[in-house]
Amino acid sequence: MFKKILIANRGEIAMRIIIACRELGIKTVAVYSEADENSLHVRFADEDVCIGPPRSSESYLNVPGVISAAEITGADAIHPGYGFLSESAYLAEVCEACHIRFIGPDPKVIRLMGDKSRARRAMKKAGLPMLPGTDGPVESEEDALKFSNAIGFPVIVKAVAGGGGRGMRVVRSAQELGHAIRTAQREAEAAFGVPDVYIEKYLDSPRHIEVQVLGDHHGAVVHLGERECSIQRRHQKLMEESPSPALTEKQRRKLGNMVVDAAKAVQYSNAGTFEFLMDEHGKFYFMETNTRLQVEHPVTELVTGIDIVKEQIRIAAGERLSVRQGEVTFNGHAIECRVNAEDPDTFVPSPGHISVFSMGGGPGIRVDTAAHSDCTISPYYDSMIAKIISYGRDRHEAIVRMRRALEMSVVEGVKTTIPMHLKILNDPDFLAGRMSTRFMERFTPPSEKKGSLAEAV
Amino acid sequence: MFKKILIANRGEIAMRIIIACRELGIKTVAVYSEADENSLHVRFADEDVCIGPPRSSESYLNVPGVISAAEITGADAIHPGYGFLSESAYLAEVCEACHIRFIGPDPKVIRLMGDKSRARRAMKKAGLPMLPGTDGPVESEEDALKFSNAIGFPVIVKAVAGGGGRGMRVVRSAQELGHAIRTAQREAEAAFGVPDVYIEKYLDSPRHIEVQVLGDHHGAVVHLGERECSIQRRHQKLMEESPSPALTEKQRRKLGNMVVDAAKAVQYSNAGTFEFLMDEHGKFYFMETNTRLQVEHPVTELVTGIDIVKEQIRIAAGERLSVRQGEVTFNGHAIECRVNAEDPDTFVPSPGHISVFSMGGGPGIRVDTAAHSDCTISPYYDSMIAKIISYGRDRHEAIVRMRRALEMSVVEGVKTTIPMHLKILNDPDFLAGRMSTRFMERFTPPSEKKGSLAEAV
Amino acid sequence: MDFDEINKILDIVREHELSEFELEREGFKIRIRKGSPAHVSGAVAAPVAPGPHYQGHPPTHASAQMATAPEPQSAASIAAAAAAAEEVDLAIVKSPIVGTFFRSSEPGAAAFVDVGDTVKKGQVLCIIEAMKLMNEIDSELDGEIVKVYVENGQPVQYGERLFAIKARGDV
Amino acid sequence: MDFDEINKILDIVREHELSEFELEREGFKIRIRKGSPAHVSGAVAAPVAPGPHYQGHPPTHASAQMATAPEPQSAASIAAAAAAAEEVDLAIVKSPIVGTFFRSSEPGAAAFVDVGDTVKKGQVLCIIEAMKLMNEIDSELDGEIVKVYVENGQPVQYGERLFAIKARGDV
């Protein structure tokens, strides 16, 4: 086992990793930017190294800084957390070269999954269901119509060179298709210089369902069930839960096994998440793989009893998975609310000094945070200040516990998204488990709704 | 279901009950003494009523005050928590007369169990094992010797009218018996005016094992497994856990079933705890029944997933138990540390103003508290300021989580017992599960050891 | 500028955690100091730590909190002092128990006492019903009733004000 | 001046973290102080409440925390000011990267610079090894080395002091 782990991150996830290391009896090294000198992760790590100025690009994203910090402190492994360098194949490669263990998948796997088109091909080959789409650009309107009829409307016309919502058209019937293709081509040409467009199945109100996997270096892979993360705003997850209220036991097993097979096909190791869209008929479509720890990992920890961060560390140290698939059990229900220092209506960040910080506790409540009374939320980084995770015997209990925990939380000095979470927790559709990635549109100020099509894609 | 519950308590347990009520959608009424005007339970209850001056006898123990507060606020039930009026058959009777539901067992059961000798007779009849003892006073030294040889040494000679350790002698061999009886009789005569003594089996280093039960008003009783509470100081529990590291699955089932039968024999309803001593051979001896919620109920909640306080409320409202015995499952391991505002070495209370209060959180940690930064711990009441409860897949994980949670807790302004808990958590015997009610003697200052015999009885 | 406006200013002072606030306009000047002590010219004033309040107090209790806060030199306490001065010669009868306040022995009957009445020590002032028992509350001194704080039939808590009595000596 | 305007001013005070704000115009004057108490003329300087620091800081970091705390009137900041004064004419060369500090090009070789040496802008002062790369750290000015803060072979953090140089003009 490792003797000393460097944590290449900040905030609550750095604290989460320090906690895991303490439980395993491993020393920790915090790295920090000048803006984080007084942060909890610096205080609670055994050693700390300032690696740069406040800007992430010069500190938390600074690979030589991180590696040098590991070298001067004699750390034998680096945990990258999420965000920042967590999906940097480069960091993983440099670690390899420097004989420092990178706590994450092999750099080749990170690289493969990071290239969306290669990843899709590999996952399709490994048997994951894909959203039907033309393999290349549309050759003629006739072909496009034939294809669209085959996969069924609505479809979406997308610029091959696209991005940012331009060159995109949702088409709901055969009549609209020709016009949509021509418009999209003109837009694509204007925006990217290339008129090529392709066609893909369009899901109106999909759910976001993802599957957590763990793989060791001995060929074993298990899945830890799914998380439903449909409550999003501009692709930012706001609230996650496990299990999904939409899945049956059979679907869970089937999806899980499919993902385990796909992970094995690419020799996946360490923790990872396979993200899917689910349509109203319960069909899944692979989106992408996140080759790292996710923000929302605690909901899975609560329903399985498995400490994912400790498993990551053990796996990286060469140990075998602590459970076989048959030993993974799912009990109860867990929900996570990301408490952000933001205006709950406009989502405008609200950095500043927190004078009072007290999160609700008691039965079934877990709080992951690096905030405290008399701390400062700096404007340089992510606005998430805490994760409140509730656990109950069933979804109802998890919801009522979350509700009262939020009601009993007190944050003064900055605005938080707690009022928004309470709105969601009182929404009849949410209570009934009726969710999709468009759920948050009902709470979005009208001025923002424009362009939401592009966002929803 | 009740519409409004009055909570006849303060501190963390009042908060715990408010939390349960919020989860059930029931309104709450806090009662408070003048010393607790700014307490969290007053702030978070829907209504509050001041019922008297700081002294408990005139406020939290004031039955007319509590009942009147329920009447003027229209509360339809009273939850007494633990301590204070929680085992007051009188309050339960007055409630009955006033058509307010008392959330606890029937007053007749409270009265029966509150009378130690009646309770022992009833429980013996119901089949619980008792510590062997002479039924009445020792008639002659010969009889005493015969009896002692039959039950085996050591035995303890106790004054019938006794108390406070006077008139008590532990006897380890037949030779010492006669002298011990005569000395004890002289002491008893001097202290109580009655020389009568009786003889009971003496357990040198027993474990304190207790069984949690729940019974509804439809005749169903289930047990929720045991708690080991051997870590005590002067009969004050300091740290509790579930399951006990000393019990086998078979013992657990046997003991549990025995207790369920005994509870049914006295038509026990609501929550209760049957306390036992366990000798080194794994034999149990009934001590007493606590007819109320216990401080340490959270460890049971964590391993069973059952919310005991919500069950109490549902039972009192006439609902059936939410689980049958076969549905009660035990997963993982939970430990509770009672954080007291006391000097960790001398146990002298340390009331005062808390300037900083931050309990460690993260995976597997539950905090039940009514304290917060900038609050005052008043000298009028119990010194417990928080309960930290850790949960892990196994005892080792629960221990390492508790350890780092305590290490990451910060309390400034008052002394706490956290350093004492850390000592216990690093003790090789504790880690190996080797505990007895004498465990804490190793941490007790020498000046206190005198008289510990009497205490240990 | 009336008390509402002053209260608004005090709310602002609290909300923004100001230590000092001064506003002057034609014919009007207000100055507030709070929390920390004022150091005035030449004076050696002992510093007083701000009161230990929990900042997360829900709004419903905010005013109560403020009123009970130990802020020896704040504007709030000066106002309180003024109020106390007004009542300095008054005896306040507080409820010794929790219950329901009744001004007369039975519905429809005349009130035991009314504002302006002269009462003697031991005279019944009201009844507080608790647990179906009618508890008579007696006057502890001779004097004149100058205020009745609670309306007939209302619940009262322990320590709640019932009557103000101007002692005989001052009548 | 109404409450909206006062609130706007208070927003400004908060946003800019002002401790004092005073505005006077015809027939109107407003003055606001925040946080620390007011010290007015003739006052015996009073002890100032410590700044809003997290009290649970482990001792190892206590000094660092204190030095960086925004305490305009505290003893700590006065000490810092004194330290700054002492070095007011010195240029401090700080480490731009994390790594290991070497005073010479190879073991046994002479140090690039030593106390008392005169250096020119662009002259190599030391090497910081990071990821097996030897990064030469050059002087940014002409002057005299007056202090070497780090010993040979020691690790350095970002921003750690390496040398103090007295600029040429002051030599």
Side-chain angles (χ1 to χ4, degrees), chain B residues 355-356 358 410 412, chain D residues 53-57:
Chain B
S355 53
V356 177
S358 171
V410 180
E412 297 201 353
Chain D
H53 307 316
Y54 186 70
Q55 301 296 323
H57 203 287

Side-chain angles (χ1 to χ4, degrees), chain B residues 194-242:
Chain B
V194 186
D196 290 350
V197 296
Y198 67 104
I199 290 174
E200 206 177 63
K201 175 79 187 159
Y202 179 69
L203 300 183
D204 240 335
S205 302
R207 286 170 181 267
H208 175 120
I209 305 278
E210 59 185 34
V211 177
Q212 174 73 52
V213 300
L214 287 174
D216 66 20
H217 293 289
H218 308 274
V221 177
V222 296
H223 75 85
L224 305 183
E226 84 287 1
R227 293 185 286 258
E228 163 126 23
C229 314
S230 299
I231 308 292
Q232 312 182 342
R233 183 189 160 273
R234 303 193 166 212
H235 290 195
Q236 275 299 118
K237 296 167 186 166
L238 302 172
M239 200 187 272
E240 304 95 348
E241 61 186 290
S242 185

